[in-house]
Amino acid sequence: MASGKQSPRQKMINLMYLVFIAMLALNMSKEVLTAFGLMNEKLTESNATTTERNNAFLAGLGEKASEEPAKYATVKKNADKVHDISKEFNSYIETLKSELTANVNACDTLGQELAEAMIVDGALDILAKAEEIAFKDEMPERL
């Protein structure tokens, strides 16, 4: 689909699939959306609990390293490196999550506009407009 020049027929088929997928996305059931929200909440709770546990472990390791530096100094140093790397990775994941959420909000707006166009113009008019768009490049040759 992405390589080479597409025929007008293929453009039309691709556009029809796009409209079909948008219609399916608009009809997604409430239970599915609720499940994603619940999963997000559970993951957030789990992350918070794990962060607290890891911080307590690092504090305990710091105490042991101060009591017995010969035995625990290198372990503490490696644990601090792992903690820093995981902190950086978590912030990267949060950045991706916020960007994806922003993109989803933009897609929701686009989907809403498409749904309004379907309601106002009717599905057949949209397909006619899609056909015009698909054949727009080929119009001068046809005339």
Side-chain angles (χ1 to χ4, degrees):
M1 277 180 23
S3 64
K5 184 173 164 99
Q6 295 179 343
S7 68
R9 180 178 184 275
Q10 188 61 46
K11 288 180 188 178
M12 180 66 185
I13 290 170
N14 290 346
L15 202 51
M16 287 172 56
Y17 275 121
L18 181 65
V19 170
F20 177 68
I21 290 170
M23 289 171 62
L24 286 177
L26 291 172
N27 289 327
M28 186 178 285
S29 70
K30 186 177 180 181
E31 290 81 20
V32 173
L33 296 175
T34 304
F36 280 117
L38 184 63
M39 187 173 60
N40 185 39
E41 288 176 20
K42 294 294 183 184
L43 286 174
T44 303
E45 290 175 14
S46 175
N47 285 343
T49 304
T50 304
T51 301
E52 289 175 16
R53 214 172 337 146
N54 287 343
N55 288 338
F57 173 76
L58 282 174
L61 188 60
E63 289 177 16
K64 289 206 179 238
S66 64
E67 291 172 4
E68 299 179 50
K71 190 174 182 181
Y72 293 106
T74 56
V75 174
K76 170 74 170 127
K77 184 179 177 183
N78 289 338
D80 286 339
K81 284 181 184 178
V82 169
H83 179 69
D84 292 339
I85 291 170
S86 64
K87 202 177 199 181
E88 183 179 326
F89 184 68
N90 277 339
S91 67
Y92 173 70
I93 296 286
E94 285 299 318
T95 303
L96 287 179
K97 183 179 171 183
S98 64
E99 288 176 5
L100 286 174
T101 304
N103 288 340
V104 165
N105 291 339
C107 287
D108 283 347
T109 304
L110 182 62
Q112 189 67 29
E113 290 173 5
L114 180 61
E116 290 170 2
M118 285 182 174
I119 291 168
V120 172
D121 296 336
L124 293 177
D125 288 339
I126 287 181
L127 290 177
K129 289 178 185 177
E131 184 177 330
E132 287 177 22
I133 292 169
F135 291 111
K136 189 166 93 175
D137 295 337
E138 309 300 323
M139 282 297 197
E141 295 173 10
R142 290 178 146 186
L143 298 175

